[in-house]
């Protein structure tokens, strides 16, 4: 057994890929002799796993570092040391600048170096000044991370299958922070999925910045598509549900669309960003698709799986966007009808082509467009949730709810579903009937379990 090195606390910002990375960092730290703790006040090592996608996300890191500085000082007075590390995309993008803006930081580590975390932390103890590791190594970090531990897990897990992006949308920092596209080999992914399943996982969401551009090698070295990877994973008997995110419209291949109609384990939910409705703006964004192409794609996907719930990302106020052009975005939203959506004001990111464009849109205009857009999106989400009332779903129960006796799970369409039931149902697929819908979740009655005696009495 490794001797305990102390306690770690990881705070995660940003997307699901960071959630996955934080989990893997936690596992690497466990192997290096750390145990986790729930508060930074009790931690010998604090890691902020950061996001750089929009300015607000990046700024949050610095305010968090301000708070951590106070905690570090308070702990010092008690004779306790605190190592502070900044990981993730802010680390990658800002590197040394973090150390000059926040000298409280001991270590800056980019997303490609997490397998070296244990060693890097040890070095912070002996070297003066902060340590920086933001290289893009040739080596596959996944191979060097410890295998997924078989300890108890939530029933739904993320699994990163692809990282980086070669699309270079002009507004986006991802190609700079996460580097070029890389797909993990099929066998490595299947093996990780088997370990997750063994630990009690029955739903896996495959992650990638451009997940449907996946083209990892199989055992013979031949590239396989995301559809082929999903098919291979669907063969794992105990794995009941599969999802994937985030997709680019250009990479929605015919075999992937067809799979939505053929493969029962593939859930009827798809996150497919369209960003803007005007063809001129789409071209300026370098999205390489038109509004009509997006709409035709939606039709084809709905042809394969009529009940699919569509989700999207939308940016308002991209440089040069006129009221007319924004109206095109609203039209697409009204035509497609999304079950869910994320919408953002355009935020200039250092080093991206769009940040250097002349005609930046004033903040008030962005705010007013976002308000209009979000009002429509909210109505659509509510309408979709309402349309589920009276239907019967299979829900994967994930955790206890806030109220005693309540459980929370996910519908096939990724909505949160609350139902009263015994805690022993957590981790199981349960038949429910939806009895009411709110803007962000559904209420349900359990209608059937393998052992109906376990339903909690009212
Ligand atoms: N400003 C606003 N939103 C952005 N996104 C990415 N970059 C920016 C930016 N500079 C949004 C896109 C993307 C989602 C993850 O974040 O909609 O799909
Ligand atoms: Fe960013 Fe575009 Fe790549 Fe998505 S496809 S990560 S928005 S550059």
């Amino acid at each position: 057994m490794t001797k305990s090195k102390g306690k770690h606390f990881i705070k995660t910002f940003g997307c699901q890929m960071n959630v996955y990375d934080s989990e893997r960092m936690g596992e690497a730290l466990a192997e290096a002799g750390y145990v986790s703790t729930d508060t930074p006040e009790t931690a010998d090592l604090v890691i902020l796993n950061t996001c750089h996608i929009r300015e607000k996300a990046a700024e949050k890191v610095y305010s968090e570092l301000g708070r951590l500085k106070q905690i570090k000082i308070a702990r010092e007075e008690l004779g306790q040391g605190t190592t502070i590390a900044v990981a993730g995309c802010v680390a990658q993008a800002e590197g040394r600048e973090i150390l000059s803006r926040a000298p409280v930081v001991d270590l800056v580590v980019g997303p490609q170096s997490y397998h070296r975390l244990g060693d890097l932390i040890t070095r912070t103890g002996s070297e003066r000044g902060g340590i920086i590791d933001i290289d893009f190594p040739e080596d596959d970090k996944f191979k060097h991370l410890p295998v997924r531990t078989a300890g108890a897990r939530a029933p739904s897990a993320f699994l990163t299958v692809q990282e980086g992006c070669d699309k270079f949308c002009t507004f986006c920092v991802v190609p700079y922070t996460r580097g070029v596209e890389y797909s993990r080999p099929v066998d490595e992914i299947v093996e990780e999925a088997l370990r997750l399943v063994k630990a009690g996982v029955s739903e896996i969401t495959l992650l990638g910045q451009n997940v449907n551009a996946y083209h990892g090698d199989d055992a013979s070295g031949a590239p396989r598509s995301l559809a082929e990877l999903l098919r291979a994973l669907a063969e794992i008997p105990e794995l009941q549900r599969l999802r994937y995110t985030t997709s680019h419209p250009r990479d929605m291949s015919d075999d992937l669309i067809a799979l939505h109609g053929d493969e029962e384990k593939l859930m009827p939910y798809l996150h497919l960003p369209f960003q803007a409705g005007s063809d001129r703006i789409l071209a300026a964004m370098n999205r390489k698709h038109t509004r009509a192409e997006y709409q035709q794609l939606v039709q084809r996907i709905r042809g394969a799986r009529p009940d699919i719930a569509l989700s999207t990302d939308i940016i308002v106020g991209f440089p040069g966007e006129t009221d007319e052009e924004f109206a095109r975005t609203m039209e697409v939203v009204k035509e497609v009808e999304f079950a869910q959506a994320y919408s953002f004001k355009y935020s200039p990111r250092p080093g991206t082509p769009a940040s250097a464009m002349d005609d930046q849109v004033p903040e008030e205009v962005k705010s007013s467009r976002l308000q209009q857009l979000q009002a429509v999106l909210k109505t659509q989400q509510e309408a979709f949730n309402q349309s589920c009332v009276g239907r019967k779903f299979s829900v994967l129960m994930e955790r206890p709810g806030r109220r005693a006796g309540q459980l929370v799970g996910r519908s096939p369409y990724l909505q949160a579903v609350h139902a009263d039931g015994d805690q022993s149902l957590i981790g199981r697929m349960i038949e429910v009937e939806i009895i009411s819908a709110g803007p962000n979740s559904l209420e349900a009655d359990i209608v059937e379990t393998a052992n109906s005696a376990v339903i909690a009495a009212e």
Side-chain angles (χ1 to χ4, degrees):
M1 271 245 326
T2 331
K3 189 175 150 288
S4 171
K5 290 219 176 109
K7 295 181 179 163
H8 75 76
F9 174 80
I10 305 177
K11 180 159 180 162
T12 310
F13 299 85
C15 67
Q16 292 149 330
M17 296 193 64
N18 271 6
V19 174
Y20 174 85
D21 282 347
S22 291
E23 227 177 280
R24 301 293 313 252
M25 279 192 265
E27 290 164 1
L29 290 172
E31 198 168 86
Y34 287 87
V35 290
S36 70
T37 177
D38 294 340
T39 57
E41 287 84 358
T42 53
D44 308 289
L45 167 66
V46 179
I47 299 180
L48 300 183
N49 192 6
T50 62
C51 172
H52 202 241
I53 195 97
R54 286 168 293 276
E55 194 181 351
K56 251 196 200 154
E59 280 309 313
K60 266 190 204 156
V61 177
Y62 288 102
S63 55
E64 193 64 30
L65 285 171
R67 263 198 296 280
L68 286 177
K69 187 176 167 188
Q70 300 310 315
I71 293 174
K72 187 167 182 161
I73 292 169
R75 280 174 55 91
E76 249 159 38
E77 282 166 9
L78 300 170
Q80 296 164 330
T82 315
T83 303
I84 297 179
V86 175
C89 296
V90 175
Q92 191 65 51
E94 297 191 2
R96 189 160 298 280
E97 206 183 312
I98 298 175
L99 296 180
S100 42
R101 235 181 112 175
V104 71
V105 173
D106 301 289
L107 171 65
V108 175
V109 52
Q112 302 311 322
S113 307
Y114 296 156
H115 53 295
R116 292 198 283 261
L117 208 50
D119 289 344
L120 290 167
I121 293 161
T122 310
R123 278 173 51 198
T124 60
S126 54
E127 290 175 33
R128 288 171 62 87
I131 291 177
I132 302 182
D133 186 343
I134 52 172
D135 289 346
F136 282 107
E138 287 289 301
D139 232 7
D140 172 3
K141 72 168 172 188
F142 294 103
K143 283 207 170 59
H144 297 282
L145 282 164
V147 291
R148 310 301 302 268
T149 43
R153 289 188 171 276
S156 179
F158 293 133
L159 201 176
T160 294
V161 301
Q162 179 278 333
E163 271 194 301
C165 181
D166 296 340
K167 293 276 188 302
F168 289 93
C169 298
T170 54
F171 52 80
C172 184
V173 285
V174 166
Y176 311 95
T177 51
R178 291 276 179 162
V180 293
E181 250 172 52
Y182 166 75
S183 297
R184 298 176 68 188
V186 172
D187 285 358
E188 195 180 298
I189 295 164
V190 171
E191 196 196 315
E192 189 170 328
L194 285 168
R195 281 179 190 278
L196 290 170
V197 166
K198 221 165 148 191
V201 167
S202 43
E203 175 182 271
I204 292 183
T205 303
L206 304 184
L207 301 179
Q209 261 98 24
N210 237 303
V211 74
N212 58 342
Y214 176 85
H215 57 270
D217 289 350
D218 68 10
S220 71
R224 295 289 173 187
S225 68
L226 183 67
E228 289 172 309
L229 175 67
L230 285 162
R231 250 186 250 125
L233 292 169
E235 279 172 24
I236 302 175
E238 304 85 348
L239 189 54
Q240 304 197 48
R241 290 179 157 189
L242 284 162
R243 304 178 184 275
Y244 60 93
T245 198
T246 286
S247 296
H248 192 289
R250 296 259 310 177
D251 294 315
M252 276 316 289
S253 59
D254 290 344
D255 60 346
L256 188 55
I257 294 174
L259 198 71
H260 276 283
D262 299 343
E263 179 49 65
E264 247 178 61
K265 290 186 179 180
L266 185 57
M267 288 296 100
Y269 177 93
L270 179 64
H271 184 68
L272 195 62
F274 84 90
Q275 313 294 4
S278 136
D279 285 344
R280 191 189 74 86
I281 297 292
L282 284 170
M285 287 177 163
N286 194 31
R287 291 291 291 176
K288 299 204 177 80
H289 63 78
T290 62
R291 163 192 173 163
E293 281 162 351
Y294 184 84
Q295 286 166 314
Q296 283 153 15
L297 182 58
V298 165
Q299 274 180 8
R300 281 168 53 219
I301 296 164
R302 285 188 167 146
R305 181 75 203 222
D307 67 329
I308 201 159
L310 290 174
S311 154
T312 200
D313 289 341
I314 303 166
I315 296 176
V316 300
F318 183 82
E321 186 186 66
T322 63
D323 285 342
E324 265 288 294
E325 285 164 338
F326 170 64
R328 304 280 92 78
T329 296
M330 294 292 277
E331 282 166 16
V332 174
V333 168
K334 285 177 186 154
E335 281 160 22
V336 174
E337 294 193 37
F338 292 97
Q340 218 230 332
Y342 301 90
S343 47
F344 314 100
K345 288 191 256 187
Y346 168 71
S347 163
R349 305 311 292 130
T352 58
S355 67
M357 290 178 184
D358 285 338
D359 33 9
Q360 298 288 326
V361 173
E363 200 54 31
E364 324 76 82
V365 177
K366 288 187 207 172
S367 299
S368 122
R369 287 180 191 165
L370 189 67
Q371 226 173 19
Q372 281 180 62
L373 175 63
Q374 288 186 338
V376 177
L377 292 170
K378 183 165 175 273
T379 319
Q380 293 189 347
Q381 183 169 328
E382 282 173 357
F384 178 70
N385 286 351
Q386 274 303 327
S387 74
C388 296
V389 176
R391 290 184 60 190
K392 287 188 180 149
F393 291 156
S394 207
V395 169
L396 175 60
M397 291 301 174
E398 292 185 6
R399 56 189 164 85
R402 281 215 193 110
R403 224 172 1 88
Q406 193 188 42
L407 301 173
V408 190
R410 293 266 169 196
S411 77
Y413 308 107
L414 206 62
Q415 297 142 300
V417 180
H418 300 261
D420 285 337
D422 194 85
Q423 303 288 306
S424 63
L425 299 182
I426 291 173
R428 291 183 33 201
M429 211 67 78
I430 305 296
E431 281 299 306
V432 305
E433 180 171 336
I434 306 302
I435 50 171
S436 71
N440 299 309
S441 64
L442 305 175
E443 296 288 328
D445 282 340
I446 292 176
V447 292
E448 182 222 323
T449 64
N451 172 7
S452 51
V454 292
I455 303 178
E458 273 292 291

